[in-house]
Amino acid sequence: MMLAFLLRRLAVGLFTIWGVLTAVFLVVRLAPGDQATVALGPDAAPEQIAELRHTLGLDQPLLVQYLSFLGDAVRGDFGESYRYGRPAMDAVLERFPATVTLTLAATLVAVTVGIVLGVLAGHRPGSLVDRATSTVTLGLQALPPFWVGIMLILVLALWLRLLPSAGGGDLEHLVLPAVTLAIPFTALVGRITRSGVAETMSEPFVRTARSKGLTEREVLTGHVLKNSLVPVVTVVGLQVGTLLGGAVVIETVFAWPGLGNLLVGAVGNRDYAVVQAATVLIAVCVVVLNLAADLAYARLDPRIRLEARR
Amino acid sequence: MRRAGSVGAWVVHGIIGVYVLAAVVGPYLVPYDPVATVVTERLLPPGSATAAGTAWLGTDGVGRDVLAQVVHGARTSLTIGVVVVALCSVVGVALGAVAGYAGGFADVAVARTVDVLMAFPGILLAIVIAGLLDRGTGVVIIALCVAGWIGFARLSRSVALSVRERDWVDAARIMGVRTRVILGRHVVPFLAGPMVALATMELASVVLSEAALSFLGLGLPPHVASWGQSIASGKEYLATAWWISAFPGIALTVLVVCIGLVGDRLTRRFAQP
C-alpha cells in the first residue's frame, strides 16, 4: 500500500517535470528571435542564419522539434550555450553547488530560529510573547527579500563594514544572502511550529508529563517538540520550490555565483540552452525534494500512512 | 486588546487608503518624466532644492526626483496588482468551479495543471516568461497570471465540491435548472468571503513579484516608473546615495505588509471550517 502511495507521488512528479519541459519549450519558441538569430548576432548574413537553423533542427516542424527536444532532455542534453561555448547542462551543474550551499544555509537558519520562535510563542498561546511573535513573523513574511538584501548591504557592508557586500565562495560572503533568503522562511517555520506546539500543549499526555513532576523544559523538549515538528518537516520539503525561486532573486542581489545568477543572466542574454537546462534542473530538484517530504511525512506520522491506505 | 486591535486595523486601512489616493491623484500633483535627465541635479540628498522645487526624497543617478518615482510607482504597482488579481480570480474561479462541480475529465485536467504549477516556483516561471518575451506591461501581466490563478482555482474547486452535495443544489438540478445557472447562483456565491481574503493575499504577492521582476530588469519597460526599477537603479549608488533604493523599497514594504495584515485578518475571518 505504501508502494502504491509512492508510485502515485512519483507519477505526479514525472508529470510535473514533463509539464515544465513543455512550458519551457513553448516559451522559447514564442520568444522573438530564435536560437540561430541570437547566437549569430545582428550582423549575420541570412544564409548563415539559415544554415545554423538547419544544423540546430529549427527548420523542422514544431512537433518534430518538440519530440527531439524531449528525447535530448531525457539524456540531460539541452544543447550548446552560445555564450559559454559548451554544453548548457555543464555550465548549469558547475553553478549548482553554490545554490545548494546557499539554500541549505538559509534552511538551517530558518529552521533553527523559526523553531525557537515558534516554541516561545506556542508555549503560552495568547500571551504577550505569542502576540508579539505573530505580528513580527507576519511582517517578516511580507518583506520584499531583494530590498531587504540591499538594505543589509547598505548597513552591514557599506556603513558598518562588517561583511562583504557581494561575491561568493567563503563563509563571510555566505552570511548576508543566506540571512536574506532565510527571513520569510523563518517566519513561516515559526508560524507553523507555533500552531503545532499550541495544539500539542492541550494534549492529555502533556498534562500527564507535567503531573509526574517533569520540569517545563523537559515537557517541552521531551514531549511537545517531537510531536509538533512533523508539519515543520513537510513544510521544509514543500517550500523548496519557493526557496529556490527566492534564491534566484537573492543571488542576483549579492552576485552569488549560483544557478539563479546564471539563469537571470541567461534570460537577459537569450541563452536559451542555459535557460532550459537551469529551469529543468530546478524542477527536478523541487520534485525530488517534495517526494522526499511526502515520504518523511508518512514515516513520521503513522496517521498519514493509514489515510493513504484508504 | 480589542480596542488596540481596531485602532491597528484603522491605521492599516488608512495607510492603504493613502496609497490608493497617491496612485489615483498623485501623478497629477507630482509630475514625473522618466526620460528627462538633469545632469547638474544628480544624486542630491533628500530635501535639496532643485530647479523644479524641493526634492524631498532626493534625486537619482540621472537627476530624476525620487518622490515622483515613488508616487508614480504606486500607480504602476497597484494597477498591475489589481489587473492581475482580477484576471486570475475570474479564470481561477471559473476553472475551479467547473472542475469541482462537473468532476470527471475537467476535474482531472485542472487538478493536474494545478499540481504542475504548484510544484514549480511561480516567480521563476514569471522570470522566464517575462524575460524571454518582448518587454511590456502586457507581458508582465501575463507572466504573473500564469501562476497566479491556481490559488483561486483550488479554493473554488474545494468549495464547489462541498456545495455540490447540498440539498438545494440537488433540488435545483432535479427541477431542471441549467448547470451554468446552478454554478452562478448556487455555487459561486459561497466563494465570496474566502475569495476576498485570498484576493487580498494574492494582491500582496503580485505587487511583490512585479517589483522583483522589474528589479531584475526583466519586467516593465524602462519608461514605466516602478519601484523595482528604482531600487535596482539605486543599487550602484548605494555607497553615495542610499535614498534612491531606500525610499521606493520602504514604499513597497509598507504597502505589502499592510495588505498582508488585512489579508491575514480576512483569512482568519473566512477560514474554511
Side-chain angles (χ1 to χ4, degrees):
Chain A
M1 277 304 126
M2 194 59 202
L3 191 68
F5 172 72
L6 188 69
L7 284 178
R8 208 173 57 222
R9 303 302 310 177
L10 198 64
V12 172
L14 287 176
F15 185 79
T16 304
I17 293 174
W18 171 77
V20 169
L21 278 169
T22 310
V24 169
F25 174 84
L26 286 176
V27 173
V28 166
R29 290 319 181 271
L30 280 174
D34 64 17
Q35 234 156 329
T37 337
V38 174
L40 292 172
D43 304 327
E47 300 83 48
Q48 263 180 305
I49 294 180
E51 200 189 313
L52 184 60
R53 210 170 262 163
H54 183 71
T55 325
L56 292 170
L58 294 175
D59 50 356
Q60 308 257 2
L62 203 60
L63 189 66
V64 178
Q65 286 186 44
Y66 176 59
L67 290 177
S68 81
F69 168 74
L70 283 186
D72 288 344
V74 170
R75 281 179 276 119
D77 176 10
F78 289 90
E80 193 102 336
S81 155
Y82 85 90
R83 278 190 71 84
Y84 300 95
R86 60 197 183 114
M89 207 53 180
D90 288 3
V92 167
L93 285 176
E94 188 184 277
R95 297 289 199 99
F96 191 50
T99 300
V100 173
T101 313
L102 176 60
T103 37
L104 278 182
T107 310
L108 199 69
V109 173
V111 168
T112 324
V113 181
I115 288 180
V116 170
L117 280 180
V119 170
L120 282 178
H123 181 209
R124 293 191 199 293
S127 66
L128 194 65
V129 179
D130 182 26
R131 284 200 308 267
T133 321
S134 299
T135 315
V136 170
T137 50
L138 200 66
L140 288 182
Q141 239 177 327
L143 287 181
F146 63 94
W147 180 71
V148 172
I150 290 183
M151 289 301 111
L152 287 176
I153 293 179
L154 176 64
V155 176
L156 295 177
L158 295 177
W159 286 354
L160 303 177
R161 304 207 170 273
L162 292 176
L163 291 160
S165 64
D170 50 10
L171 197 64
E172 261 195 334
H173 287 92
L174 179 63
V175 176
L176 284 185
V179 167
T180 311
L181 186 57
I183 288 175
F185 202 42
T186 309
L188 183 68
V189 172
R191 289 175 70 123
I192 288 158
T193 313
R194 185 224 163 256
S195 65
V197 169
E199 207 178 297
T200 319
M201 288 306 283
S202 59
E203 297 271 351
F205 64 78
V206 171
R207 200 174 352 142
T208 314
R210 276 186 182 145
S211 55
K212 74 183 185 190
L214 294 184
T215 62
E216 201 58 26
R217 172 189 285 269
E218 283 168 330
V219 173
L220 273 179
T221 53
H223 296 263
V224 174
L225 203 54
K226 221 164 148 190
N227 282 291
S228 27
L229 284 189
V230 178
V232 176
V233 173
T234 340
V235 164
V236 171
L238 290 180
Q239 289 297 313
V240 153
T242 322
L243 205 56
L244 282 171
V248 170
V249 182
I250 297 300
E251 281 180 7
T252 313
V253 174
F254 291 96
W256 180 260
L259 195 54
N261 209 337
L262 181 75
L263 175 64
V264 171
V267 166
N269 294 323
R270 307 194 161 277
D271 193 345
Y272 297 126
V274 171
V275 173
Q276 289 173 338
T279 321
V280 172
L281 182 65
I282 291 176
V284 171
C285 287
V286 171
V287 164
V288 168
L289 285 160
N290 281 357
L291 201 62
D294 274 339
L295 290 179
Y297 196 26
R299 187 99 223 128
L300 289 173
D301 193 339
R303 284 171 297 186
I304 311 299
R305 275 196 301 254
L306 289 176
E307 256 169 51
R309 201 165 293 179
R310 257 183 246 143
Chain B
M1 275 328 280
R2 202 174 166 74
R3 175 173 292 258
S6 64
V7 170
W10 272 107
V11 172
V12 168
H13 285 114
I15 293 174
I16 296 179
V18 170
Y19 274 93
V20 174
L21 203 66
V24 175
V25 302
Y28 300 108
L29 303 177
V30 191
Y32 173 66
D33 184 354
V35 286
T37 55
V38 190
V39 186
T40 49
E41 292 175 357
R42 294 176 71 227
L43 307 174
L44 294 177
S48 303
T50 65
T54 312
W56 292 110
L57 303 182
T59 61
D60 74 359
V62 289
R64 295 173 302 190
D65 186 30
V66 174
L67 175 66
Q69 293 183 28
V70 169
V71 170
H72 286 252
R75 171 176 279 192
T76 311
S77 279
L78 283 174
T79 311
I80 290 192
V82 169
V83 170
V84 169
V85 169
L87 284 174
C88 286
S89 56
V90 170
V91 172
V93 168
L95 287 177
V98 168
Y101 185 80
F105 178 72
D107 193 21
V108 173
V110 171
R112 287 293 88 85
T113 314
V114 166
D115 275 345
V116 171
L117 287 172
M118 286 271 293
F120 203 65
I123 182 74
L124 213 56
L125 215 53
I127 286 173
V128 172
I129 295 175
L132 290 186
L133 303 183
D134 277 327
R135 284 180 84 172
T137 312
V139 169
V140 169
I141 290 174
I142 292 170
L144 294 173
C145 281
V146 167
W149 62 275
I150 52 176
F152 295 99
R154 276 158 54 90
L155 179 66
S156 70
R157 176 174 174 270
S158 73
V159 171
L161 270 176
S162 70
V163 172
R164 178 170 73 168
E165 310 297 331
R166 302 294 181 82
D167 290 340
W168 68 85
V169 175
D170 278 342
R173 200 162 29 217
I174 292 163
M175 283 194 295
V177 179
R178 271 172 302 161
T179 311
R180 200 151 34 97
V181 179
I182 295 182
L183 274 178
R185 196 162 294 168
H186 299 289
V187 177
V188 171
F190 284 86
L191 288 165
M195 202 54 77
V196 170
L198 181 63
T200 314
M201 293 306 247
E202 204 63 36
L203 179 63
S205 99
V206 168
V207 168
L208 213 53
S209 301
E210 183 275 311
L213 276 184
S214 298
F215 170 77
L216 293 175
L218 305 171
L220 296 166
H223 61 82
V224 180
S226 89
W227 292 333
Q229 278 181 24
S230 300
I231 295 172
S233 79
K235 205 185 158 226
E236 54 183 307
Y237 302 109
L238 215 48
T240 47
W242 53 268
W243 49 88
I244 307 172
S245 287
F247 289 119
I250 292 171
L252 171 67
T253 306
V254 171
L255 177 63
V256 171
V257 169
C258 285
I259 298 178
L261 287 170
V262 173
D264 190 64
R265 244 163 45 95
L266 290 170
T267 308
R268 267 182 288 150
R269 185 157 142 202
F270 293 113
Q272 283 209 284

Short mmCIF file of all heavy atoms in Angstrom, two decimals, chain A residues 26 105 138 204 235 285:
data_model
loop_
_atom_site.label_atom_id
_atom_site.label_comp_id
_atom_site.label_asym_id
_atom_site.label_seq_id
_atom_site.Cartn_x
_atom_site.Cartn_y
_atom_site.Cartn_z
N LEU A 26 7.75 25.79 -25.14
CA LEU A 26 6.81 26.71 -25.77
C LEU A 26 7.26 28.16 -25.62
O LEU A 26 7.21 28.93 -26.58
CB LEU A 26 5.41 26.52 -25.19
CG LEU A 26 4.70 25.24 -25.64
CD1 LEU A 26 3.37 25.11 -24.92
CD2 LEU A 26 4.48 25.26 -27.16
N ALA A 105 22.14 26.68 3.79
CA ALA A 105 22.46 27.62 4.88
C ALA A 105 21.19 28.36 5.31
O ALA A 105 20.92 28.51 6.51
CB ALA A 105 23.53 28.59 4.43
N LEU A 138 4.46 37.81 10.84
CA LEU A 138 3.60 38.25 9.74
C LEU A 138 4.30 39.33 8.92
O LEU A 138 4.28 39.31 7.70
CB LEU A 138 2.28 38.78 10.31
CG LEU A 138 1.12 38.83 9.34
CD1 LEU A 138 0.74 37.43 8.94
CD2 LEU A 138 -0.06 39.54 9.97
N PRO A 204 -3.58 15.47 26.26
CA PRO A 204 -3.56 14.87 27.60
C PRO A 204 -2.16 14.43 28.05
O PRO A 204 -1.84 14.54 29.23
CB PRO A 204 -4.47 13.64 27.47
CG PRO A 204 -5.24 13.83 26.23
CD PRO A 204 -4.52 14.78 25.37
N VAL A 235 6.79 21.06 5.66
CA VAL A 235 6.83 22.40 5.08
C VAL A 235 8.21 22.70 4.52
O VAL A 235 8.35 23.24 3.43
CB VAL A 235 6.41 23.44 6.13
CG1 VAL A 235 6.80 24.83 5.69
CG2 VAL A 235 4.92 23.37 6.33
N CYS A 285 14.83 19.16 -8.96
CA CYS A 285 15.12 19.31 -7.52
C CYS A 285 13.83 19.41 -6.72
O CYS A 285 13.66 18.76 -5.69
CB CYS A 285 15.92 20.58 -7.26
SG CYS A 285 17.58 20.48 -7.79
#
